[in-house]
Each structure stands twice: as C-alpha cells, then as structure tokens.
Amino acid sequence: MFKENWIQRSNLMHRMIMHASAPRQSRSICQLCMFISRKSAPNLPLKHYTTFAPGRVFSVPRATQPSRLASTKQRKSAGASQSSPRNVVPPPTSPRTQVGYNPTELQRVKEMIDSLLSFKEIPSEEHVLHVLRPCEGLARELVASPTGSKYGTAASALLSLEDDSARPILQAQKAPYPPTNQAIDALSNYVYLLLLHPPIFISLDILTTYVNIQTILAKPETFPEIFKLYATKPIPKVKPSGPSTEIKYTLQNPNKAAFAIPLPLANTALECALSHKSLVTSLAIIDTTVAAPSFRRAKFIRRALPPLTGFSLAPVAAYTLASKLSEYQSSMDPAMATNVAFAGILAYVTFTATLGLVAVTTANDQMDRVTWASGMPLRERWIREEERAAVDKVAQAWGFKETFRRGEEEGVEWEALREWVGLRGMVLDKIELMEGME
C-alpha cells in the first residue's frame, strides 16, 4: 500500500516537472492589455505591438484578422498608412492656388504701364487712374498670398523629416513664376516710374491711389520724393499753335496752399514708415508734408482765416446791435447809449476771443514725449501743431513703451532724433514734464 502511494506520487511529480519544462508561448505582461489591443487596434505592422519595459522586451503577436467591428474607413486609413511611401511629395497646385495671385496679372499691369509711358500725348487723370486701380487690386492679392508653398520653403526643408533623397524632387518642382517678394518689388517700381513720367500730372486722386498702393506693399521709401514732386513737378500743357504731341511745361509754386498734402494722407504714409522701422524715411515724410510751407498756408486759410474774418466784422456787427439796443432805453441820450453798448459788446468779444486763443495755443494735454521749447511764439505753436504731433509719433515708436523707462534710450538713431527735434524748436523728453520729476 505504501509502495503504490509512493509510485503515484512519483508519477505526479514527474508530470509536473515535464509540464513546467515544456516551452510556453510568449504572452503579454498584462492579459487585459492584450485583450484590448486585439479588440480595438487595426491591422498594423508588428512593430506597433512591441512594448518596452525596463530590462525586458515583450512582443505581442499581431492579430491574424482585423475586428469585424472596425469600420471600413479605419481599414482604408490603416492600409494607406502601410502602403504609402514616406518621401512622396504632393503634386504642385495651380499658380492661383499655390501663390495666391495670377502671375499673368503682373505682366498685364506692366504692359498697361508701358503703353501709358509710351503715350506721346498728355494722358488724362481718368486714364492714369484706370491703370493704377488694377495695380491696387494686384497689391492686395500679393500681400494676401503666402511667400512660398508648404513643401518648397527653407523652413520646411529644415523642420521636415524627409531624407536627402527627397530634396532633388523638391528642387525640381519649383514654380517657374517669380516669388511674391520679387513681384512686390516689381509692382512698386512700376508704379513709381509711372508717376515720374513728365507728361503725367500728379493730382490729389492719383497721389492718394499711389500712397494706398505703396502702403499695401509696405514700400514707404519713395513717399518723400513723390510728395515733393507733387508740389514741384512742372505742369504739362499742349502748345496752342502746335499739334497735341508738342508739350510745354510750366513751373509751379510749391508753397501754394493747393499743393498741401492732406493730413489723413500724411498720417497714412507716416504710419507705413513707422511700421517699416525707417527713421530717415519718417522724418523725410514729416518734412515734405506737415512741415512744408504749403501745409501751413492751407491750415491758415482753412482754419484761421474764417475766425479772423468774423473778428474783423465784429465791430460793425457790435455797432449795429448797440444802435438797436439804444432805442429800448430812455435813461440817457441815444448816442451815449449806443457808444456804451458798443464798447461793452466789443470788449466782451475781444476778451473772450483772447482767452480762447490762449487756451487753444497753450494746450499741452495731447503732448506725450515731444513738447515746445521755452520762448516759442503762440502762433508758431498753433500753426505747427501737426508737425509736433507727427514727431511725437516717431518718438513713441522708437522709444520705450513703459513710461518708467523713458529717458533711458540710447543709440545713434535716438541721439539723431533728439538733435533733429531740438533744431526745430521742440524738446524731446522735457525733464520737468516727465513722470516723477514734477
């Protein structure tokens, strides 16, 4: 009995040892993870099922069949990810889609400008505007278009994971038309040459359209020259005794009020130069617009002449009103009453106008960093206020934005700006007006 029990136990132990020593199929470290991966994962390559753990690598066998619950879209996307090569470059799109503008439009604009430049007679203002308006539309398209395609820029070549074998493909697929930056420079030059053409008279509408085009293109370098040309360009006229192709030119007075640059147009040009960070261009724009003698004359005629005319007619109106008021009293002689009423009315008008003039010319709430130097006449302060405001914009653009750091600026451009401001009777960062220096 004891021997039989011992034999049974020996056989049982032998089977257990043989079972333990038999080779096992490799399984995942977590049966639940294996179950989830078999249920939800699509039919991916074997490398997607390899998980890494410290010290060991556990390989999970790939599922032999995708799940029936997987959608057709998932199977198609998984198959596409397996079969599509890595370095395939998408085909180039059309010029309108890839660059944002049609390259033939630039050529058409150039042909229109060339035809106008070769025109032997004096072109009308409508003819010039008919050429400039398509240029403005093309400028908006050029600015709105990207500077390059997604697969052809230097940044994409550096940041992408494509190997060297794909670079020849990228080089071979470059577009045959010029890049956007070259098109912008070309369009800016075409419009500039158009206004330099002697037979073309620069009217205010033409000048406004030109400023809009160059502002859209961010090209403010030609603004000072064109503004000066607007006031000094000779006026073309047809000779009365000759054919229409014979043109004579008449010089014009650049200081006339009719040749003053409007303030909104000057501000637009100045903002473009400030955004372009060009100090020389900004100061030149100020010299040719709000600091020009024509602008001061236009301001005096439009804003100071009507009040002065009314003030000169005030004595006549005061005497007429005083003579009427004397008829409604009986305490004194009518002539005496007229003189008293006239003196009172005239004194009231004079004192009130004087107080208003002093309040307008000495107001400094609008001043930020640029103020008038001591001893500047009040009439100069009023007539040159737009010039001071423009210089103030330049100082705000070049200086620190924080008010507590004002006065710490340094550099060649800042010192040049300070000297330029001082030569025009203004002060940059007056110490007694700075914060904390009262």
Side-chain angles (χ1 to χ4, degrees), residues 182-395:
Q182 296 182 7
I184 289 176
D185 296 339
L187 180 60
S188 177
N189 189 34
Y190 294 157
V191 180
Y192 171 70
L193 294 177
L194 180 63
L195 265 68
L196 290 182
H197 192 48
I200 295 179
F201 175 73
I202 304 177
S203 63
L204 184 58
D205 293 338
I206 295 176
L207 181 65
T208 304
T209 307
Y210 176 82
V211 172
N212 292 337
I213 294 173
Q214 300 290 10
T215 302
I216 295 171
L217 298 177
K219 297 290 183 180
E221 295 83 5
T222 60
F223 283 158
E225 182 179 358
I226 296 300
F227 287 153
K228 186 177 180 179
L229 195 65
Y230 173 72
T232 60
K233 189 175 183 180
I235 302 176
K237 293 182 180 180
V238 180
K239 291 184 178 181
S241 60
S244 59
T245 55
E246 294 185 5
I247 303 174
K248 68 175 183 179
Y249 298 94
T250 305
L251 298 178
Q252 57 185 354
N253 184 12
N255 297 330
K256 290 177 62 175
F259 299 122
I261 306 296
L263 184 60
L265 194 62
N267 289 334
T268 301
L270 182 61
E271 291 293 339
C272 180
L274 292 179
S275 62
H276 200 63
K277 296 299 181 182
S278 178
L279 180 61
V280 177
T281 305
S282 302
L283 298 181
I285 290 175
I286 294 175
D287 277 336
T288 54
T289 55
V290 292
S294 58
F295 184 85
R296 299 178 186 178
R297 288 188 178 184
K299 182 179 180 179
F300 177 82
I301 293 173
R302 296 170 184 173
R303 300 182 58 181
L305 191 58
L308 289 178
T309 303
F311 185 77
S312 62
L313 296 177
V316 178
Y319 187 83
T320 303
L321 182 61
S323 61
K324 294 296 182 180
L325 290 176
S326 63
E327 298 177 358
Y328 294 95
Q329 57 85 32
S330 57
S331 58
M332 64 179 69
D333 185 63
M336 177 69 73
T338 300
N339 294 334
V340 171
F342 172 72
I345 294 173
L346 193 61
Y348 174 79
V349 172
T350 303
F351 293 154
T352 303
T354 303
L355 291 177
L357 179 63
V358 172
V360 170
T361 54
T362 58
N364 58 358
D365 295 337
Q366 75 280 5
M367 302 180 186
D368 188 15
R369 304 201 65 171
V370 179
T371 56
W372 295 110
S374 300
M376 179 65 64
L378 295 181
R379 64 179 184 276
E380 288 288 332
R381 294 189 179 192
W382 179 80
I383 203 70
R384 297 176 57 194
E385 174 58 28
E386 286 75 14
E387 179 184 356
R388 187 213 59 80
V391 179
D392 207 346
K393 289 182 180 180
V394 177

Side-chain angles (χ1 to χ4, degrees), residues 125-144:
E125 181 182 1
E126 291 77 10
H127 193 183
V128 179
L129 291 175
H130 179 72
V131 176
L132 289 178
R133 289 191 181 101
C135 297
E136 185 175 359
L138 179 59
R140 298 183 186 278
E141 293 182 3
L142 289 173
V143 173

Side-chain angles (χ1 to χ4, degrees), residues 159-171:
L159 299 178
S160 63
L161 299 177
E162 296 171 347
D163 54 5
D164 296 338
S165 61
R167 294 179 183 176
I169 302 176
L170 294 176
Q171 297 293 334

